[in-house]
Amino acid sequence: SGTSMLGGLMTKMGLDPGKPLIMPASDNEKGFFERIDVVLQNDAIMGKQGIAYSSKCCDYDYTKGLQAIYSEPEGSKFFNEGRRALAFLNNENNFPWMLKDPRLCITIRTWLPLLTYQPAIVFQYRHPMDVALSLLTRFEHFKIAKSLKMWYVYNRMGIQNSNDLCRVVTSHKSLLSSPQE
């Protein structure tokens, strides 16, 4: 949804994404601004429920995600990436920080009880067809119908999961037309 551009602007404003970040790629040369540990942990938490980034996301149950974390056997490595991320996120010396991963639309409710402070959410809207075409360009195996369904599920869950939080809404179109604002 153009969130990498928004993430880049937010870091230029002084919000710290921490490290390590996913490296820039040919389809996103300025970077993704996503913490590797958060992305890997979100994949692991979702995977415990048989859910992947692009399938069955609407079946995610944040309470089961928390149970998986809290019931982790001693010595288990399941939540190692999450602990690494939380060490950064809960350290007041890192404020203000910025956390970006599209999976957070699905998993944010699992993370909230683990955070020292409740975050503000920046929700960026982009036209569904623009998102579908972008996904089609980046992932050849994605079909338009699948991409549109993903757009719907991520937007619906992102709105539901941030409903009672401080939420700032913007659009990709307005960001492109006036990035300074």
Side-chain angles (χ1 to χ4, degrees):
S1 294
T3 56
S4 293
M5 179 176 55
L6 179 60
L9 287 171
M10 292 175 77
T11 59
K12 286 180 189 283
M13 291 169 46
L15 280 78
D16 187 358
K19 290 190 169 111
L21 298 177
I22 293 176
M23 296 299 295
S26 61
D27 63 335
N28 201 339
E29 294 175 2
K30 292 187 179 182
F32 294 90
F33 302 95
E34 295 177 14
R35 291 180 59 94
I36 293 171
D37 48 15
V38 172
V39 171
L40 292 174
Q41 193 61 65
N42 278 332
D43 282 341
I45 292 169
M46 292 167 70
K48 285 256 186 190
Q49 296 181 41
I51 296 167
Y53 174 78
S54 63
S55 67
K56 299 184 181 179
C57 292
C58 55
D59 295 336
Y60 183 76
D61 182 336
Y62 80 91
T63 60
K64 288 181 182 177
L66 278 170
Q67 287 171 352
I69 293 165
Y70 289 137
S71 65
E72 175 184 358
E74 193 170 319
S76 168
K77 295 181 180 183
F78 168 70
F79 198 64
N80 278 357
E81 299 296 336
R83 276 191 284 281
R84 188 171 299 127
L86 289 171
F88 172 82
L89 298 170
N90 287 331
N91 182 336
E92 65 184 37
N93 294 324
N94 298 324
F95 293 148
W97 48 258
M98 189 265 314
L99 184 61
K100 176 194 169 276
D101 177 11
R103 294 160 193 81
L104 288 167
C105 289
I106 312 302
T107 65
I108 187 65
R109 288 282 165 196
T110 300
W111 288 92
L112 286 175
L114 307 173
L115 295 170
T116 304
Y117 301 100
Q118 193 173 73
I121 306 298
V122 179
F123 186 86
Q124 179 164 282
Y125 168 84
R126 187 175 182 186
H127 192 281
M129 190 55 76
D130 292 342
V131 174
L133 292 172
S134 174
L135 289 172
L136 184 65
T137 302
R138 293 176 65 201
F139 308 106
E140 291 179 15
H141 64 282
F142 276 32
K143 303 292 184 226
I144 293 289
K146 178 179 181 153
S147 297
L148 289 171
K149 182 178 179 183
M150 278 181 64
W151 176 91
Y152 172 77
V153 169
Y154 272 76
N155 277 270
R156 184 189 64 160
M157 292 190 73
I159 291 167
Q160 286 175 340
N161 287 330
S162 65
N163 195 39
D164 60 341
L165 301 172
C166 174
R167 181 174 57 201
V168 177
V169 179
T170 186
S171 73
H172 183 256
K173 185 177 181 178
S174 67
L175 189 63
L176 284 174
S177 67
S178 184
Q180 294 294 329
E181 250 181 66

